[in-house]
Amino acid sequence: MKTNLLLLDTRKNMENLICSAFSLSNQLKRKLKIVYVLDIHWVGTGVTGGELGGPTVPGISETYMVVEKSIRKDFEQAESEMRKTVAKYFEKYPQNVHYEIEVAEANRLDVVSKTVKREEDVLLLMSNYNTYSGLSTGTINYPNIIDKVPCPVLIIPDRTQAFSLNNYLYATAFHAEDLKAIKHLSETTAGADGKNLTIFHNMETLDFESKLKWIGFKTLVKDSVSGFHLKFEHANEKNVRDALKKYLTNESLDVIVILKEKKGFFEDLFSSSETHYVLTHFDKPVLIYHEENLK
């Protein structure tokens, strides 16, 4: 059976995320695996696996010990809190979703990779908090795992408790892997009814070649994708971020879908800082496919 993997590493907004994960799994008719990880793997501090290394930073040892103590306390309470949250959710929304709950002191990337190897089809669910989290001082930051996991990632806004899966926007740059990503999206959402998919492209120029590419891509999508009511929209802004921002001001969408390339049109838009902007400013779930995983 296809699997949604909800990866948690903090109790912050945990109830909202669990409710969203169950709502999503119920709509898509997928099983849900919830794993709360204790992963002492700090980027930029020299701390890996609980050991301090690299250059000495004044005060980092004290800071690290305070943070680790807090994280371990949350970890010890995580399983009982998750089970209470699930029981509370089922009281309010009875449904038949097969689920597992697990706590693990492990590297989060290992948890995802092992799940992908065992399961038929995995969609990783994370919040935009624990994707880009850290101390308010900026001293310690979690690693960004979006680029490293071998499966699609759905980033869920922290304040979201549930969302529908009817209206999708796929931002395209006419990449060779776009059709594969859209087909996978169709298969992943096969359990949902009444799905609408907007194919969105920002044309920086309106010359003949750009228009011809747009017409050709629309034809390819129509001929190869099923399961959606299709709509095509294009913009003519200076960059994709502005185009999306303007379009989303007037349109009601449930999920933004993007293909994260190693290089190419989206290189600048979906660098780490720009991906962070998309995830935190549009306040929409964002489904991210990786070019390498679709080859």
Side-chain angles (χ1 to χ4, degrees):
M1 189 176 181
K2 297 179 180 180
T3 302
N4 290 333
L5 170 62
L6 175 61
L7 195 62
L8 300 170
D9 58 11
T10 173
R11 289 164 58 198
K12 176 181 170 65
N13 293 323
M14 186 170 71
E15 182 175 346
N16 284 353
L17 292 165
I18 289 175
C19 291
S20 291
F22 271 105
S23 173
L24 179 74
S25 300
N26 185 51
Q27 291 179 72
L28 298 182
K29 299 177 176 59
R30 294 165 69 97
K31 70 178 181 180
L32 175 61
K33 182 174 182 178
I34 307 172
V35 182
Y36 192 108
V37 293
L38 173 62
D39 179 6
I40 308 299
H41 185 102
W42 309 110
V43 171
T45 64
V47 180
T48 304
E51 296 181 0
L52 201 61
T56 301
V57 180
I60 188 63
S61 297
E62 293 83 0
T63 301
Y64 171 74
M65 286 188 289
V66 170
V67 172
E68 183 181 11
K69 184 178 179 180
S70 175
I71 290 173
R72 287 192 178 278
K73 182 179 178 182
D74 279 356
F75 179 71
E76 291 166 2
Q77 299 173 357
E79 184 172 3
S80 62
E81 286 208 18
M82 287 191 293
R83 294 194 182 281
K84 288 178 184 177
T85 298
V86 172
K88 181 180 175 183
Y89 179 80
F90 280 147
E91 283 182 8
K92 193 171 183 180
Y93 305 105
Q95 53 194 230
N96 185 27
V97 175
H98 177 75
Y99 72 94
E100 304 170 28
I101 289 177
E102 179 183 334
V103 292
E105 186 167 351
N107 182 292
R108 70 193 70 199
L109 286 173
D110 289 343
V111 171
V112 177
S113 296
K114 288 176 182 177
T115 304
V116 170
K117 287 180 181 178
R118 287 195 305 264
E119 306 293 342
E120 177 185 353
D121 185 341
V122 175
L123 176 62
L124 175 62
L125 313 179
M126 297 183 69
S127 77
N128 54 8
Y129 174 81
N130 64 13
T131 306
Y132 288 93
S133 55
L135 296 182
S136 58
T137 60
T139 306
I140 293 177
N141 292 298
Y142 287 116
N144 172 20
I145 74 169
I146 290 177
D147 300 328
K148 302 177 179 67
V149 293
C151 62
V153 184
L154 179 63
I155 307 300
I156 303 171
D158 290 333
R159 295 184 296 277
T160 302
Q161 263 211 352
F163 55 93
S164 62
L165 293 168
N166 299 110
N167 301 304
Y168 301 81
L169 179 144
Y170 187 97
T172 179
F174 306 151
H175 191 276
E177 310 304 330
D178 278 336
L179 288 179
K180 291 181 182 179
I182 296 171
K183 287 179 182 178
H184 187 274
L185 174 65
S186 178
E187 294 167 0
T188 300
T189 60
D193 299 320
K195 297 175 297 181
N196 302 301
L197 175 61
T198 298
I199 306 296
F200 183 85
H201 176 62
N202 183 57
M203 288 191 280
E204 294 182 1
T205 63
L206 295 175
D207 57 22
F208 178 76
E209 184 178 356
S210 297
K211 292 178 181 178
L212 193 61
K213 285 181 180 180
W214 178 229
I215 292 170
F217 188 79
K218 288 195 290 185
T219 301
L220 285 172
V221 172
K222 290 175 182 177
D223 291 344
S224 57
V225 176
S226 60
F228 290 106
H229 177 266
L230 291 171
K231 185 169 74 167
F232 297 89
E233 297 285 347
H234 71 272
N236 183 222
E237 301 294 333
K238 62 180 180 180
N239 57 55
V240 181
R241 187 167 78 180
D242 289 347
L244 281 173
K245 187 187 298 183
K246 185 175 181 179
Y247 182 76
L248 292 174
T249 300
N250 301 312
E251 296 294 331
S252 177
L253 292 166
D254 300 319
V255 182
I256 300 170
V257 187
I258 60 177
L259 175 68
K260 196 170 189 311
E261 304 175 35
K262 291 187 68 175
K263 57 184 179 179
F265 184 84
F266 278 114
E267 182 177 15
D268 292 332
L269 177 62
F270 296 117
S271 63
S272 293
S273 61
E274 293 292 355
T275 306
H276 182 255
Y277 182 93
V278 172
L279 297 179
T280 56
H281 284 70
F282 289 136
D283 200 32
K284 300 281 186 183
V286 179
L287 175 57
I288 302 172
Y289 283 96
H290 306 79
E291 175 188 357
E292 288 298 298
N293 297 337
L294 294 169
K295 290 189 181 296

